[in-house]
Amino acid sequence: MIGENRMPIAKRIRAAAVTSKRVRPRMVGLSAGVTIATAALLGTVVAPAQAYSPNPSASISYRDTDNCPCTLSDPFDGTYFQYDAGGYAAKIELRDASGSYISKVEFHPYDEKLWVYDTKNDGDSVYVSVYWWDASGNPHAVGPNITPTGTDAVVDYVVYNLDIAEGTPVSIDVYDGSGYSDYITSAEVVA
């Protein structure tokens, strides 16, 4: 079921390839594609300013956008999911050890947009990676460092237009460090 598997997608792909007695050619190709994409993306990694210790706590709210429009509140700009037949949205809220709201990540199936917010000027941020597979089984990745550029503003954010087909399953992994380090949580959604 969507949203139940909390292991990062890259680890799930490797685990499936290792534990399977008969690895299908598609899985081998998929694993190789993810490895190549990861290696290419890691070549541009920038070191994080710091990492939260302990990791931020995460809460995830899912919405079936067949039942939207719907609004989820938060102390910043709220979240509004539009109607999108067959879509499945998610909002990930992150809080530090003191309970302060530090970040949120939203996937909006309508127009396939990913919003990543930094809501605390503390010299740190979260890092997001996104994966999906096209109809031919080819992997596509965005990240591993989708993160807002830090400014003096109360809220910094970045919006990515994933531009993917309706009904595409999407995996979102959130990390405390750049380059797939210090995993926090995952969400599984549908475009």
Side-chain angles (χ1 to χ4, degrees):
M1 173 156 196
I2 294 174
E4 290 184 2
N5 193 338
R6 299 290 185 228
M7 183 186 301
I9 189 67
K11 286 184 181 177
R12 286 188 298 224
I13 292 169
R14 286 191 300 271
V18 170
T19 59
S20 175
K21 292 184 185 205
R22 181 174 168 244
V23 178
R24 290 185 250 155
R26 180 176 173 183
M27 182 56 79
V28 172
L30 183 61
S31 294
V34 169
T35 301
I36 291 168
T38 301
L41 292 169
L42 288 176
T44 62
V45 170
V46 177
Q50 66 184 31
Y52 289 101
S53 182
N55 272 349
S57 62
S59 64
I60 305 174
S61 300
Y62 292 98
R63 292 294 182 270
D64 178 347
T65 54
D66 284 344
N67 302 316
C68 287
C70 44
T71 303
L72 301 174
S73 64
D74 63 59
F76 297 96
D77 65 355
T79 302
Y80 178 80
F81 293 123
Q82 294 181 355
Y83 170 80
D84 189 339
Y88 204 70
K91 176 181 182 176
I92 303 168
E93 296 179 290
L94 300 164
R95 297 179 187 274
D96 65 15
S98 71
S100 295
Y101 203 110
I102 59 167
S103 185
K104 67 178 180 169
V105 178
E106 301 172 357
F107 175 76
H108 295 255
Y110 187 85
D111 284 341
E112 299 84 33
K113 301 265 171 101
L114 179 77
W115 294 65
V116 181
Y117 293 78
D118 184 350
T119 60
K120 188 171 184 181
N121 286 324
D122 59 2
D124 195 10
S125 190
V126 296
Y127 303 86
V128 179
S129 61
V130 177
Y131 300 88
W132 75 92
W133 289 264
D134 63 25
S136 301
N138 298 313
H140 298 272
V142 178
N145 292 317
I146 301 171
T147 189
T149 303
T151 68
D152 290 335
V154 173
V155 176
D156 293 311
Y157 67 91
V158 63
V159 180
Y160 274 81
N161 183 352
L162 299 176
D163 195 28
I164 54 180
E166 292 288 322
T168 301
V170 178
S171 296
I172 302 166
D173 293 339
V174 181
Y175 300 87
D176 192 13
S178 64
Y180 301 113
S181 66
D182 207 0
Y183 169 76
I184 298 171
T185 193
S186 295
E188 305 291 327
V189 294
V190 178

